[in-house]
Amino acid sequence: MTDTAREEILARISEALGRRGGGEYVSSSPRTAVPGTGGTAHAESGGVASANTAATAADAGYHHEGTYTGEALVELLIDRLVDYRANVHRADGDPSATISELIGDHSSVVVPRGLDSSWLAGYSGGVRVDAPGEFLSVDELDAQGAVVTASAVAIAQTGTIVLDGSDECGRRAITLVPDHHVCIVRTDDIVDIVPEGISRLDAHAPLTFISGPSATSDIELSRVEGVHGPRTLDVIILNG
């Protein structure tokens, strides 16, 4: 890449960031436009844009809160989840009947130690609890028909469910090895945009971001599901 091409790219990036934030921006050309002043100012470096100025401009125009609320927020999440080929279900107060229906054909399922036991009240198969000191091996996890967990946050705009390694979400391995994941998302844990979701999470927790069932299109652009995680993702939106 020539110096001229590099400078042009940096200039366009800097200009875009500045205009988004509504403040000053520094161009990579020797003369820097200053919106609102009716003129230009000379840039002493004559080249690379100021990182601090660009960062300030970008932050000034960055949204930290979404606009969707209530049922519209829930419907947006459902739309994104379905687009990612997840199966979505609704439940009021008690999801046990829905969970039982979804995992009824499996002889055994795994759950994290903190999952509400009443949620499996209607299930007649075996239940393996994964807990510190009693962690299931990979082979044991692979033998389970499904895993049932709660979730920490769901981000509607991106259709992303986040697990945080808490007692009701469990460690990451239990949601990667079994072929079927049933995940409960409480409506109170649904947010509109990514910054809202991140603000609710502990940055030091082992976070797992799930956007639909495991899938890849690496080989000849053919979509294959279940390569590096569950082939089936059932999401239960729990009201109340």
Side-chain angles (χ1 to χ4, degrees):
M1 179 181 294
T2 65
D3 289 342
T4 301
R6 179 176 179 274
E7 289 179 0
E8 182 179 353
I9 291 171
L10 290 174
R12 291 186 181 184
I13 293 173
S14 181
E15 182 178 0
L17 289 174
R19 286 180 176 173
R20 184 195 307 169
E24 296 184 359
Y25 64 84
V26 179
S27 170
S28 62
S29 63
R31 304 187 65 79
T32 301
V34 183
T37 64
T40 59
H42 180 72
E44 293 182 357
S45 65
V48 180
S50 166
N52 290 336
T53 302
T56 302
D59 185 66
Y62 196 72
H63 296 291
H64 296 277
E65 296 182 357
T67 56
Y68 283 84
T69 59
E71 186 61 22
L73 180 62
V74 176
E75 290 297 331
L76 178 62
L77 174 63
I78 293 175
D79 177 75
R80 297 295 192 269
L81 289 171
V82 170
D83 191 52
Y84 280 133
R85 301 190 187 182
N87 305 312
V88 183
H89 317 268
R90 303 291 294 266
D92 292 315
D94 180 11
S96 60
T98 305
I99 293 174
S100 178
E101 180 180 354
L102 292 173
I103 64 176
D105 293 337
H106 300 310
S107 59
S108 181
V109 299
V110 58
V111 299
R113 64 174 177 174
L115 192 76
D116 189 336
S117 59
S118 68
W119 288 357
L120 295 173
Y123 176 61
S124 59
V127 177
R128 300 291 303 274
V129 178
D130 189 79
E134 300 177 349
F135 286 144
L136 276 65
S137 67
V138 173
D139 288 340
E140 288 175 314
L141 290 174
D142 192 43
Q144 306 306 307
V147 54
V148 182
T149 74
S151 58
V153 172
I155 304 170
Q157 288 284 355
T158 60
T160 303
I161 298 170
V162 187
L163 310 184
D164 62 358
S166 60
D167 286 349
E168 64 175 7
C169 290
R171 63 189 178 111
R172 182 172 294 145
I174 69 172
T175 60
L176 292 179
V177 180
D179 201 42
H180 183 187
H181 184 188
V182 178
C183 187
I184 292 84
V185 173
R186 300 179 179 89
T187 53
D188 289 343
D189 293 329
I190 302 174
V191 299
D192 187 355
I193 60 178
V194 172
E196 290 178 296
I198 296 300
S199 69
R200 293 194 181 198
L201 298 167
D202 178 1
H204 300 287
L207 303 176
T208 303
F209 293 74
I210 303 170
S211 297
S214 167
T216 182
S217 299
D218 290 342
I219 301 175
E220 296 183 352
L221 299 180
S222 296
R223 180 183 173 94
V224 179
E225 298 179 356
V227 175
H228 41 65
R231 191 187 312 273
T232 302
L233 174 63
D234 280 299
V235 179
I236 300 175
I237 308 295
L238 182 60
N239 300 319

